[in-house]
Amino acid sequence: IKMDLNWKLNHTEHIVQDEWIDFRKESFILPDGKEFSPFYNYSRRNFVVIIARTKDDKYITVRQFRHGLKSVTTEFCAGGIEGDEKDSALLAAKRELQEETGYVSDHWKHIYTIPSNPTIADNYAYLYYADDCEKVSKQHLDSTEFLEVKEYTEDEINDLIKNNEFVQPIHLMGWLMVRSEEHT
């Protein structure tokens, strides 16, 4: 006999619900009929991550403060998909790359779409690879963005990873997928 593994939503209480997050306390009926509560989860905007390479084979990264770690990290350019881009993550990727770094590309490839944290969140990350990027403008940052753009070689990115200096999991996954594809 095949068991239905789905949990059935019993009750939802929205603890925080604004333009940035919908943080919920929920109760579920488990497959064995018992109630499980509280279970906390959240919704946030879908987002894009861009692994971008310049015409001279350098990878474009940004350094910025990350609140969860309370430290500055090195990572790839990334950002939320905004309302008018809902049907096109690629539009968001192109906008974020230019806003955060001043670079553009005519060579884009969708790498993968993955849930950001399927245990407790329902949003997705859209990973893109942009090749032959060229700098065409200065940064156009949001009022809360303070980013330093840095370019690294493949070996330098790998060293950052080995030294735990490149720690965003989805960014790291995108890097490994791009590198794997380029070396096959």
Side-chain angles (χ1 to χ4, degrees):
I1 297 176
K2 194 172 186 178
M3 180 175 25
D4 180 4
L5 299 175
N6 289 301
W7 295 16
K8 310 289 188 274
L9 181 62
N10 189 38
H11 177 73
T12 300
E13 176 186 344
H14 297 274
I15 297 170
V16 176
Q17 190 174 26
D18 61 24
E19 68 178 294
W20 302 105
I21 194 166
D22 179 4
F23 186 71
R24 301 176 295 270
K25 175 181 175 183
E26 295 182 331
S27 71
F28 287 89
I29 303 300
L30 301 176
D32 64 3
K34 294 178 184 160
E35 183 177 3
F36 177 75
S37 181
F39 187 87
Y40 296 96
N41 60 32
Y42 63 89
S43 295
R44 293 196 62 193
R45 278 190 279 176
N46 293 330
F47 62 97
V48 293
V49 176
I50 305 102
I51 295 90
R53 186 171 71 173
T54 66
K55 291 180 180 286
D56 62 346
D57 294 331
K58 299 273 182 90
Y59 290 88
I60 304 164
T61 68
V62 294
R63 290 182 37 77
Q64 63 185 312
F65 181 78
R66 287 300 185 192
H67 304 85
L69 296 175
K70 308 266 187 293
S71 66
V72 174
T73 64
T74 299
E75 57 196 57
F76 294 118
C77 175
I81 297 174
E82 297 178 0
D84 59 341
E85 300 163 332
K86 199 169 196 163
D87 295 328
S88 178
L90 178 58
L91 284 178
K94 289 178 177 184
R95 176 187 49 78
E96 285 291 341
L97 181 63
Q98 186 167 5
E99 283 179 2
E100 290 190 356
T101 69
Y103 281 86
V104 297
S105 173
D106 290 328
H107 306 282
W108 288 84
K109 179 179 179 188
H110 176 254
I111 301 168
Y112 201 66
T113 301
I114 189 167
S116 71
N117 184 350
T119 303
I120 61 171
D122 62 7
N123 65 327
Y124 284 81
Y126 295 80
L127 284 74
Y128 285 92
Y129 176 65
D131 202 7
D132 292 330
C133 297
E134 59 183 319
K135 185 136 173 110
V136 298
S137 68
K138 62 180 180 136
Q139 292 173 303
H140 297 283
L141 301 175
D142 295 337
S143 63
T144 58
E145 287 182 311
F146 299 89
L147 308 177
E148 175 186 32
V149 177
K150 294 195 64 117
E151 296 177 11
Y152 292 103
T153 65
E154 178 181 343
D155 288 340
E156 289 169 330
I157 295 279
N158 288 330
D159 287 342
L160 289 170
I161 293 167
K162 288 176 190 170
N163 294 324
N164 282 336
E165 297 174 46
F166 192 98
V167 297
Q168 284 276 19
I170 292 176
H171 297 226
L172 179 56
M173 183 196 78
W175 171 254
L176 295 174
M177 292 179 81
V178 166
R179 301 315 310 143
S180 171
E181 189 172 295
E182 287 185 0
H183 292 292
T184 55

